[in-house]
Amino acid sequence: MKKKTLPFDKDLFKRSVLYNVKTLYRKTMEEATPQEMYQAAAYAIKDAIVDHWMTTQKAAAEQDPKIVYYMSMEFLMGRAFGNNIINLQAYKAVKDALEELDIDVNVLEDQEPDPALGNGGLGRLAACFLDSLSTLGYMAYGCGIRYKYGMFRQKIQDGYQVEVPDAWLENGNPFELRRNEYAKEVKFGGYVTMYTDDMGRTMFKQEGYQVVKAVPYDLPVIGYGNGVVNTLRIWDAEPIQCFQLDSFDKGDYQKAVEQENLASQLCEVLYPNDNHIAGKELRLKQQYFFISASVQTAVQKYMQNHDDLRKFYEKAVFQLNDTHPTVAVAELMRVLMDDYQFSWDDAWDVTTKTCCYTNHTIMAEALEKWPVDLFQRLLPRIYQIVDEINRRFVDQIMRKYTGSAGIDVQAKIRSMAILYDNQVKMAHLAIVGGHSVNGVAKLHTEILEKRELKDFYEMMPEKFNNKTNGITQRRFLLHANPLLAEWVTNKIGDGWITDLSQMDKLKAFANDKKAQNEFMEIKFKNKERLAKYILEHNGVKVDPKSIFDVQVKRLHEYKRQLLNILQVIHKYNDIKTHPSKDFYPKTYIFGAKAAAGYLTAKLTIKLINSVADVINNDPDIGGKIKVVFIEDYRVSNAELIFAAADVSEQISTASKEASGTGNMKMMLNGAVTLGTLDGANVEIVNEVGEENAFIFGLTSQEVMEYEKNGGYNPMDIYNSDPNVKKVLDMLVDGTFSEDKELFRPLYNCLLNTINSSKADQYFILKDFESYLEAQKRISDAYQDKKRWAKMALLNTASCGKFSSDRTIKEYVDEVWHLDKVELQ
Ligand code: GPW
């Protein structure tokens, strides 16, 4: 049976590129710059997309399916051009058409800035989910913020991270549509007044507020090969123009200026913190800004073709991506009560049936708590509603537990109240105000249920569920690794593109020598591709025959890049002292951004670069090991890196990484996991088999046990393990910096001589030996070419579970209950 593919008019595309170059720039193809050609081609693709977009929206209007609103402060989409033409099934046609115009599609793709409206895993997950929603044919809106500056660009200067603004909109964004007609007003500050409406009801309204205009920009999200196009709607803030004059007339010039300032600041920049809350007022403004605009839109859209708002939840569901969008609970209550005259109980019924919350971390510093006075001043009406939600919830706790034997009711209130200690606890609001709470990997959800959110789980177990994360194979294999994608298709057909479980069929080739060789040959070519990138960007020559050992992710102490680089230092010592010992060459590849204010993380980057300098230039090492820090790690270079990885470093302190998704991207591309039993690593090992992964270190149980008992004393290890002692001493003896004290803070993190209970909070020294031993197992395994090829191939073959298509199906079946939209 021949599969239907989407029609794509190659000649029309060509003509429209030429036409666009002319009308946009008054130039011929010969005169146009690569950037101009990119713009011209992108607008031509957008033309093709718009037809599908309109068809989808029309079908949805007729069929009226339930819609998921995925609310997120971050969408780390990565470049759109290549992905869009892949999902339109037009990659080859576009490539050929461009060739006929004498343009290389890769050069063109490199012209596109990498939209980085996210920090890391959480934002990239949102992007993968949108891809899957469209591919599976469900109606969805991504709701977010159009930051003028996304995640900063990272420069490495003298080994230090330097942050450079990311002006991604400098040349405009050809794929976006400004939708002025859907603008909304969002109100901040002022006070709440009470009045009686003409039906005699007591009503509330906000007065004396500042207002900004929220203007949506729509970006298309194209399903693979099915013509479905959903919308990522990101909001920009603009001042309300006419107000300025009015208020000037009224003498309220000050306020007019303030409003204008607010609008100009709101969407200026993404907060660059990952797994950490800075607690800044502007951040709360950003949260309410995009949530208020999105909630108003969702309600109005529903009211266009329904009359009973009490059934809103039958057609809409809000998925809150972590607690950042949690004001949605109170905002929906507000809209229902203040704009549509709902009673509290009716509004509460709709709200709890509409909202769902995903938790992405157990790190204490990431839990959002806002000071009550700030919250109340900025969002007076919203605060009033939160206060009432809290009052009723505390009441419910008391009714449930008072008089129960052995239960301390006050302790329950302390651990579950939304308002406590003068703080608004956003996670508690999200749990109470919705009907679903999910973690992002089995282990993570278990930890939530048994520990972090134990009291909530005991009180409302029916809300809790797990949704193990996933990734889209369209971007991370089909686009990122065309050689391997083609090989897989030759072996098992192309069904894997929309059904990753079919990868299983590759297992039949695990012992096939020819298949093994082909697989490793492709890996080698991808390593050459990355080696070229590294030479161009770092000026370092790496050997594609060496083992590519990769740790790319945000820099965070719990992710333990420090453990990795300490191990490298040890290896360096080992080679220096035993020059003739057999050692298989290894290239350690790092990539990581540190939050701008996170000093330990930034110093770790400096250490990695300093160690790289020493090792890469030491003639005694003779190239046996190389260390490379890839500058400005982001979605576009991640695609090159994943495809080239042999070893996937997933070495977080067990229990700390909620899931991880880079682990899945590397597995998909045939890298073998070297990791702890943390997050989704547990499930990865389960799928691929223990013999095809390298696991080490404390278990989450053990870590949590130590934590309960106040940690451990790393000094004991320092004193008893000469390897550890030597490596740590080298941090402060000038080996890696002229200033011996430069790395002292890292040394002190590990060996806090003043307060040992604060020392080595992430169990780096505790896991050191076990990590060295795992590294050794890797080197041994790699030298057995057949064994390694089989392992690598089996990793690709076993990754079926980790498609975001699977995750989305689970959300749909168990939480969202969406209907598919059918296109004729
Ligand atoms: F703290 N994650 C992230 F939970 O990338 F909000 N940024 C964040 O700010 C948070 C979580 C937050 C990550 C988790 O660290 C990672 O383990 C997980 O795979 C990813 O979210 C997607 O669920």
Side-chain angles (χ1 to χ4, degrees):
M1 192 182 75
K2 183 138 176 43
K3 272 189 245 151
K4 236 173 66 183
T5 51
L6 287 176
F8 182 81
D9 189 335
K10 186 180 142 196
D11 291 324
L12 175 63
F13 170 73
K14 251 171 82 176
R15 269 181 279 131
S16 102
V17 174
L18 294 170
Y19 179 81
N20 289 346
V21 165
K22 188 175 87 183
T23 53
L24 286 169
Y25 304 108
R26 210 206 63 187
K27 282 186 182 173
T28 64
M29 233 28 202
E30 291 70 41
E31 295 163 333
T33 66
Q35 174 62 216
E36 289 164 348
M37 288 188 230
Y38 158 70
Q39 296 272 341
Y43 277 108
I45 295 299
K46 187 199 202 170
D47 280 351
I49 294 169
V50 166
D51 290 330
H52 294 296
W53 211 350
M54 290 168 77
T55 311
T56 306
Q57 299 308 318
K58 184 159 170 282
E62 284 161 16
Q63 295 163 32
D64 194 24
K66 186 172 177 183
I67 301 170
V68 61
Y69 292 87
Y70 197 82
M71 306 205 165
S72 179
M73 292 286 279
E74 306 188 8
F75 287 91
L76 225 184
M77 300 299 282
R79 288 175 177 161
F81 187 87
N83 203 249
N84 285 348
I85 56 180
I86 278 192
N87 283 8
L88 289 170
Q89 295 180 314
Y91 197 89
K92 189 165 179 321
V94 168
K95 183 171 182 275
D96 293 349
L98 290 172
E99 241 160 52
E100 289 164 27
L101 297 169
D102 221 13
I103 309 169
D104 179 342
V105 66
N106 292 313
V107 173
L108 210 71
E109 281 189 57
D110 274 337
Q111 290 300 313
E112 182 178 353
D114 194 335
L117 307 186
N119 273 286
L122 170 141
R124 181 56 229 178
L125 185 75
C128 285
F129 280 0
L130 294 184
D131 182 274
S132 289
L133 278 159
S134 290
T135 299
L136 292 168
Y138 295 109
M139 291 310 294
Y141 280 90
C143 305
I145 296 176
R146 184 175 178 269
Y147 301 104
K148 186 164 163 206
Y149 297 96
M151 186 61 204
F152 61 76
R153 288 199 356 247
Q154 179 192 55
K155 295 252 174 249
I156 300 297
Q157 279 171 15
D158 188 26
Y160 289 98
Q161 165 176 302
V162 176
E163 300 93 25
V164 181
D166 160 53
W168 73 291
L169 286 168
E170 207 166 36
N171 295 308
N173 179 2
F175 291 107
E176 73 183 7
L177 282 176
R178 183 175 191 275
R179 310 299 299 273
N180 198 36
E181 69 274 31
Y182 294 127
K184 297 279 172 287
E185 288 189 0
V186 179
K187 299 167 181 173
F188 294 96
Y191 48 91
V192 180
T193 57
M194 217 161 76
Y195 67 100
T196 310
D197 72 359
D198 24 359
M199 315 262 301
R201 290 173 297 212
T202 303
M203 303 293 290
F204 296 91
K205 72 171 181 220
Q206 193 175 350
E207 286 187 295
Y209 49 79
Q210 293 181 11
V211 58
V212 295
K213 183 168 141 192
V215 182
Y217 287 72
D218 286 355
L219 292 163
V221 181
I222 303 164
Y224 181 82
N226 63 357
V228 172
V229 181
N230 275 308
T231 303
L232 169 57
R233 175 161 286 183
I234 49 180
W235 297 91
D236 190 15
E238 291 179 11
I240 302 243
Q241 284 304 338
C242 55
F243 191 90
Q244 195 182 339
L245 273 179
D246 283 3
S247 58
F248 189 64
D249 288 344
K250 281 187 248 152
D252 204 351
Y253 180 70
Q254 188 59 32
K255 185 164 173 189
V257 173
E258 276 169 16
Q259 270 191 166
E260 211 162 303
N261 286 342
L262 176 59
S264 70
Q265 284 164 19
L266 253 175
C267 301
E268 191 68 8
V269 60
L270 166 78
Y271 279 90
N273 303 310
D274 188 87
N275 270 286
H276 183 93
I277 295 303
K280 293 279 190 287
E281 177 166 340
L282 182 60
R283 168 84 171 186
L284 183 57
K285 286 183 185 161
Q286 290 183 337
Q287 295 183 350
Y288 184 66
F289 167 75
F290 93 99
I291 286 300
S292 178
S294 303
V295 170
Q296 291 181 53
T297 305
V299 170
Q300 280 168 21
K301 183 175 167 65
Y302 174 88
M303 287 309 281
Q304 273 167 14
N305 52 354
H306 303 88
D307 42 32
D308 188 358
L309 192 49
R310 277 172 305 181
K311 293 198 175 140
F312 180 65
Y313 59 86
E314 289 182 359
K315 294 294 174 187
V317 52
F318 296 170
Q319 188 67 40
L320 311 179
N321 199 22
D322 213 84
T323 56
H324 323 143
T326 297
V327 283
V329 168
E331 176 66 1
L332 183 54
M333 289 294 287
R334 183 192 70 78
V335 169
L336 295 174
M337 293 189 298
D338 297 1
D339 298 350
Y340 293 90
Q341 293 78 44
F342 271 47
S343 69
W344 180 277
D345 288 337
D346 285 350
W348 186 245
D349 181 64
V350 171
T351 299
T352 51
K353 285 177 174 161
T354 302
C355 295
C356 310
Y357 156 59
T358 304
N359 174 291
H360 294 265
T361 191
I362 61 162
M363 299 295 294
E365 64 264 40
L367 290 182
E368 272 191 301
K369 299 170 195 156
W370 293 104
V372 161
D373 53 357
L374 164 66
F375 198 95
Q376 186 171 19
R377 175 166 50 78
L378 206 63
L379 310 170
R381 177 63 179 133
I382 293 298
Y383 176 73
Q384 201 179 31
I385 292 168
V386 171
D387 188 41
E388 180 62 12
I389 295 173
N390 178 61
R391 193 188 64 75
R392 288 170 185 246
F393 178 56
V394 170
D395 214 51
Q396 197 188 333
I397 298 174
M398 295 204 287
R399 265 181 284 126
K400 183 167 173 105
Y401 291 112
T402 306
S404 304
I407 290 186
D408 176 349
V409 182
Q410 284 311 313
K412 291 277 183 197
I413 293 172
R414 211 180 312 127
S415 85
M416 288 193 283
I418 297 163
L419 299 177
Y420 207 88
D421 275 346
N422 273 312
Q423 290 178 318
V424 188
K425 301 191 173 180
M426 301 307 271
H428 298 188
L429 178 59
I431 297 168
V432 175
H435 63 279
S436 170
V437 178
N438 77 277
V440 289
K442 258 189 201 134
L443 175 67
H444 171 59
T445 301
E446 267 169 40
I447 294 175
L448 292 178
E449 292 175 353
K450 298 210 179 93
R451 217 186 52 172
E452 297 309 303
L453 302 174
K454 184 164 178 283
D455 286 330
F456 286 103
Y457 180 62
E458 277 171 15
M459 190 169 171
M460 38 191 112
E462 70 288 350
K463 287 190 185 179
F464 283 73
N465 62 94
N466 174 246
K467 296 287 167 284
T468 298
N469 284 165
I471 56 161
T472 168
Q473 65 269 30
R474 269 85 57 189
R475 182 176 287 270
F476 291 106
L477 186 54
L478 191 54
H479 185 257
N481 194 344
L483 296 175
L484 187 58
E486 197 191 323
W487 181 83
V488 174
T489 297
N490 284 336
K491 293 283 185 242
I492 63 169
D494 66 0
W496 62 272
I497 299 173
T498 50
D499 175 9
L500 199 64
S501 71
Q502 292 189 24
M503 284 297 209
D504 216 53
K505 297 187 205 157
L506 285 176
K507 287 181 183 161
F509 298 94
N511 289 309
D512 176 333
K513 216 170 158 202
K514 182 166 160 280
Q516 289 179 352
N517 286 338
E518 290 163 356
F519 193 90
M520 293 314 290
E521 188 52 37
I522 289 168
K523 180 60 81 181
F524 185 75
K525 291 210 171 106
N526 286 321
K527 287 162 78 174
E528 287 182 320
R529 180 174 72 160
L530 182 60
K532 185 164 168 267
Y533 180 93
I534 290 172
L535 185 60
E536 278 164 17
H537 289 79
N538 294 55
V540 176
K541 209 169 159 165
V542 301
D543 180 1
K545 289 203 279 310
S546 64
I547 301 172
F548 277 19
D549 179 306
V550 178
Q551 186 174 23
V552 285
K553 51 183 79 245
R554 284 301 291 260
L555 214 139
H556 206 297
E557 284 163 277
Y558 84 79
K559 296 178 191 280
R560 300 202 294 191
Q561 283 91 351
L562 184 56
L563 172 60
N564 190 346
I565 197 67
L566 292 179
Q567 171 271 140
V568 173
I569 297 173
H570 167 74
K571 203 71 244 173
Y572 172 65
N573 293 339
D574 195 27
I575 295 173
K576 294 269 281 190
T577 38
H578 308 100
S580 56
K581 199 160 111 184
D582 192 33
F583 180 75
Y584 198 90
K586 248 187 193 179
T587 303
Y588 296 97
I589 297 168
F590 291 85
K593 288 181 185 175
Y598 190 172
L599 296 183
T600 308
K602 290 181 118 174
L603 195 55
T604 306
I605 291 177
K606 171 65 178 166
L607 177 65
I608 294 169
N609 282 307
S610 301
V611 171
D613 267 353
V614 169
I615 293 183
N616 297 347
N617 296 311
D618 186 334
D620 292 354
I621 295 304
K624 277 186 190 158
I625 48 179
K626 287 257 164 92
V627 182
V628 175
F629 188 94
I630 294 182
E631 187 180 71
D632 202 30
Y633 173 60
R634 61 192 186 281
V635 178
S636 53
N637 60 20
E639 294 183 32
L640 302 178
I641 298 167
F642 294 138
D646 291 310
V647 178
S648 161
E649 296 259 3
Q650 307 300 337
I651 61 176
S652 53
T653 312
S655 81
K656 305 293 179 203
E657 189 70 275
S659 162
T661 44
N663 47 3
M664 302 168 185
K665 293 162 197 168
M666 291 216 244
M667 179 193 199
L668 174 68
N669 283 279
V672 178
T673 302
L674 165 54
T676 49
L677 284 178
D678 198 15
N681 297 354
V682 178
E683 289 159 78
I684 286 178
V685 177
N686 216 4
E687 293 296 305
V688 75
E690 252 173 88
E691 67 287 6
N692 298 308
F694 296 85
I695 299 304
F696 73 96
L698 297 174
T699 63
S700 55
Q701 287 288 344
E702 289 166 338
V703 168
M704 292 189 287
E705 199 56 37
Y706 275 116
E707 285 175 340
K708 218 167 76 191
N709 302 324
Y712 80 104
N713 192 353
M715 220 39 175
D716 296 342
I717 297 182
Y718 176 83
N719 288 326
S720 63
D721 183 336
N723 286 333
V724 167
K725 182 171 187 315
K726 170 134 198 233
V727 169
L728 287 200
D729 289 349
M730 285 166 76
L731 291 181
V732 290
D733 72 359
T735 308
F736 301 112
S737 67
E738 269 170 40
D739 172 5
K740 288 185 185 175
E741 295 305 304
L742 182 63
F743 297 117
R744 177 77 63 183
L746 296 178
Y747 179 94
N748 285 344
C749 277
L750 297 168
L751 296 176
N752 191 320
T753 42
I754 299 155
N755 181 354
S756 75
S757 76
K758 281 264 162 60
D760 196 12
Q761 285 194 43
Y762 296 99
F763 300 89
I764 288 177
L765 301 190
K766 196 85 191 154
D767 275 347
F768 193 72
E769 200 187 325
S770 156
Y771 183 50
L772 289 191
E773 183 263 334
Q775 283 280 358
K776 166 119 186 35
R777 279 190 280 144
I778 293 249
S779 300
D780 293 345
Y782 197 82
Q783 291 177 63
D784 181 346
K785 286 230 151 61
K786 265 189 73 173
R787 174 169 171 220
W788 189 273
K790 182 178 170 184
M791 277 200 299
L793 199 156
L794 278 174
N795 268 276
T796 299
S798 308
C799 70
K801 175 176 176 184
F802 303 106
S803 171
S804 45
D805 299 342
R806 188 266 315 145
T807 315
I808 289 297
K809 279 201 194 97
E810 290 179 7
Y811 274 107
V812 168
D813 292 345
E814 298 161 28
V815 184
W816 300 339
H817 308 293
L818 309 178
D819 334 285
K820 288 201 181 197
V821 63
E822 304 290 343
L823 302 186
Q824 264 64 47

